[in-house]
Amino acid sequence: QVQLVESGGGLVQPGGSLRLSCAASGITLGNYVIGWFRQAPGKKREGFSCISSDDYTYYVDSVKGRFTISRDNSKNTVILQMDSLKPEDTAVYFCATGRFWRSDYASLPPQSYEYDNWGQGTQVTVSS
């Protein structure tokens, strides 16, 4: 049975940092595209970063330069380092396994329908 578990969320002040982890069982994350999505209250879920099995990465402009996605294959985990957090980053954050890598993320960010296995999400709140 495939299970993804996100952790590391919490309350942080603007400008602060958080490190989210996406840990898996029943699946080897290194063989998959891994996407990070977030959903703020009243808004649609948005894909904002992903990493290929070859460690190519993508970020939407709103998080580029602040967030870093990486793998720790020895722990079957994907990490999302989030720095310089802003109140608009407040959302529930999800990781998911994707079926394929695209070259056109700049015109179409990661989409939920491209991803199969999802974690339950972790809350990130950025507030003073």
Side-chain angles (χ1 to χ4, degrees), residues 20-34:
L20 303 187
S21 295
C22 172
S25 59
I27 195 170
T28 301
L29 293 186
N31 295 335
Y32 292 86
V33 174
I34 304 301

Side-chain angles (χ1 to χ4, degrees), residues 2-114:
V2 175
Q3 188 175 19
L4 301 183
V5 178
E6 303 92 341
S7 62
L11 172 63
V12 64
Q13 292 186 342
S17 298
L18 284 174
R19 187 172 182 264
L20 303 187
S21 295
C22 172
S25 59
I27 195 170
T28 301
L29 293 186
N31 295 335
Y32 292 86
V33 174
I34 304 301
W36 280 98
F37 293 75
R38 63 186 180 183
Q39 188 166 17
K43 294 189 176 181
K44 294 175 62 175
R45 186 174 300 187
E46 67 159 344
F48 62 88
S49 181
C50 53
I51 186 167
S52 74
S53 57
D54 296 331
D55 288 346
Y56 290 105
T57 58
Y58 165 78
Y59 306 92
V60 295
D61 286 346
S62 61
V63 308
K64 195 176 295 181
R66 300 189 298 122
F67 290 10
T68 304
I69 189 171
S70 62
R71 295 182 181 273
D72 185 343
N73 288 335
S74 68
K75 297 181 180 178
N76 203 25
T77 298
V78 171
I79 304 299
L80 183 70
Q81 177 67 39
M82 305 189 298
D83 299 317
S84 303
L85 283 161
K86 303 176 181 180
E88 52 264 41
D89 295 317
T90 295
V92 179
Y93 283 67
F94 302 86
C95 64
T97 61
R99 287 168 246 142
F100 52 85
W101 181 261
R102 291 189 278 110
S103 60
D104 63 343
Y105 287 117
S107 58
L108 183 66
Q111 301 294 299
S112 296
Y113 59 77
E114 298 174 321

